[in-house]
Amino acid sequence: MPRQHLPFPNGRLAVVAITRHGIALAGRMLTALPGATLFAPEKFRATAEAAAPGACACFAGKTGDQIPTLFAAFDGIVAIVSLGAVVRLIAPHLKNKETDPGVVVVDEAGRWAIPVLSGHLGGANAIAAALQQAVGATPVLTTASDARATLAIDLLGREFGWTFEASHDEIVRASTAVVNDEPVALVQEAGSPDWWAGHANGRSGPLPANLQRFARLEDIDPARFGAVLWISHRALPPGWAARLAGKRVIYRPPQEAA
C-alpha cells in the first residue's frame, strides 16, 4: 500500500485513551504522527505525560463531556475505547458527513483500526491506513469503494488539490454507479493524469473496467452512462446542464495544474 498521509495536518488529530494500556499505545501513535494530541483522564496524568511529553491534555470528569470540544477543535479523532461506547458517545453530536470529523476506533492491543464516522470526506479511512503504518493496526474498511478498491467519487483528485461540484444526490448516484459496475464516463480535460495511482486512499491494479475514459465532454453520449465524471476548467457547454442533470460530478483542478 502506498504511504498514507492524513487529509489534514497532524495537529488536527486527537487520540483519546482512557486506560493505562491505551495511553501507552497512544504514545506510539503520537511518535509516528508528531503534532497530534493525546487526551487522557486526569487520574492518569503521569502516565500520559510520560507517553506523550508535551503533547497531552488531561481532563477531569466524564469522557463523553469532552466530545463537543473534540468535534470543534479536531478534524480527526482516534479513540482507544470500545466501539459500542464510542458510538454512544458521539451519536448526540453528529451533524452531516461534510462537517463531522473522521472517527476511528482502535482496540487496546492495536490490532484493528475501525473507521466509524466520515470515512471519506472526514478522512477516517485515511487515518486508519496511517495507523496501520504507525502501529500495525489492520484497517477494517466497510465503505464499498474501499472494500472493492474501486474509485471513491468524493476523493478523486484530493491529493492534487482538486475540488468537486455536485449535490449530495449526485454524489450518491455516481458512487452507486461505480460500485454497482454501471458504465461511468470519466472525462479528463485538465489536471494530473496520475490520480489513480495517487488516489487518496491508495489504489493498486488497473482502473475498473466500468470506468470509460474520454478526452472531451463532447465525445460522450450521456444517455449511455449511469454517471459522468468531468475533470475540467471549462464551464458546461450550452445545453449540457440538462443532458447531465442528476448524474454529473464536476472536478476542478487548480489552474496551475492544467
Side-chain angles (χ1 to χ4, degrees), residues 7 24-25 38 43 57 66 76 104 108 152 191 231 235 238 250:
L25 175 60
L38 166 61
K43 65 182 179 180
Q66 313 309 311
V104 177
E108 281 201 4
I231 308 163
I250 301 174

Side-chain angles (χ1 to χ4, degrees), residues 227-252:
V228 176
L229 313 179
W230 186 40
I231 308 163
S232 182
H233 295 141
R234 291 195 288 155
L236 278 171
W240 277 80
R243 298 182 68 187
L244 298 177
K247 64 166 59 177
R248 98 292 186 276
V249 181
I250 301 174
Y251 299 88
R252 300 300 193 190

Side-chain angles (χ1 to χ4, degrees), residues 107-155:
D107 64 291
E108 281 201 4
R111 290 186 296 252
W112 309 105
I114 309 169
V116 177
L117 181 67
S118 296
H120 283 168
L121 291 181
N125 290 2
I127 296 171
L131 292 176
Q132 181 178 33
Q133 294 167 340
V135 298
T138 299
V140 180
L141 305 182
T142 57
T143 45
S145 60
D146 294 302
R148 298 187 57 220
T150 189
L151 179 66
I153 294 295
D154 46 5
L155 296 184

Side-chain angles (χ1 to χ4, degrees), residues 14-31 37-41 44 47-52 56 59 78-82 105-111 131 135:
V15 181
V16 181
I18 58 175
T19 67
R20 293 186 188 279
H21 290 294
I23 291 169
L25 175 60
R28 292 167 52 201
M29 292 178 183
L30 267 67
T31 297
T37 301
L38 166 61
F39 283 78
F44 294 134
T47 303
E49 290 180 344
C56 65
F59 59 87
V78 177
I80 308 175
V81 184
S82 76
V105 167
V106 178
D107 64 291
E108 281 201 4
R111 290 186 296 252
L131 292 176
V135 298

Side-chain angles (χ1 to χ4, degrees), residues 31-245:
T31 297
L33 297 167
T37 301
L38 166 61
F39 283 78
E42 178 64 36
K43 65 182 179 180
F44 294 134
R45 175 177 289 276
T47 303
E49 290 180 344
C56 65
C58 294
F59 59 87
K62 298 179 179 179
T63 303
D65 294 339
Q66 313 309 311
I67 302 301
T69 298
L70 292 170
F71 268 44
F74 295 93
D75 294 323
I77 300 168
V78 177
I80 308 175
V81 184
S82 76
L83 177 59
V86 169
V87 170
R88 293 181 185 279
L89 289 173
I90 68 175
H93 306 282
L94 305 186
K95 295 179 180 178
N96 58 66
K97 65 187 296 182
E98 286 76 25
T99 60
D100 289 335
V103 177
V104 177
V105 167
V106 178
D107 64 291
E108 281 201 4
R111 290 186 296 252
W112 309 105
I114 309 169
V116 177
L117 181 67
S118 296
H120 283 168
L121 291 181
N125 290 2
I127 296 171
L131 292 176
Q132 181 178 33
Q133 294 167 340
V135 298
T138 299
V140 180
L141 305 182
T142 57
T143 45
S145 60
D146 294 302
R148 298 187 57 220
T150 189
L151 179 66
I153 294 295
D154 46 5
L155 296 184
L156 175 56
R158 186 171 71 180
E159 298 294 278
F160 301 100
W162 300 3
T163 58
F164 65 82
E165 301 169 5
S167 67
H168 173 76
D169 288 346
E170 288 167 333
I171 289 291
V172 170
R173 178 169 178 174
S175 298
T176 300
V178 168
V179 300
N180 285 328
D181 297 324
E182 298 177 32
V184 173
L186 195 148
V187 185
Q188 183 163 11
E189 301 176 351
S192 171
D194 298 326
W195 52 265
W196 180 248
H199 193 281
N201 274 7
R203 293 290 185 256
S204 59
L207 193 69
N210 64 315
L211 297 181
Q212 301 179 40
R213 304 187 71 162
F214 297 87
R216 294 179 68 254
L217 184 64
E218 288 82 358
D219 293 339
I220 70 167
D221 176 4
R224 293 180 47 230
F225 298 98
V228 176
L229 313 179
W230 186 40
I231 308 163
S232 182
H233 295 141
R234 291 195 288 155
L236 278 171
W240 277 80
R243 298 182 68 187
L244 298 177

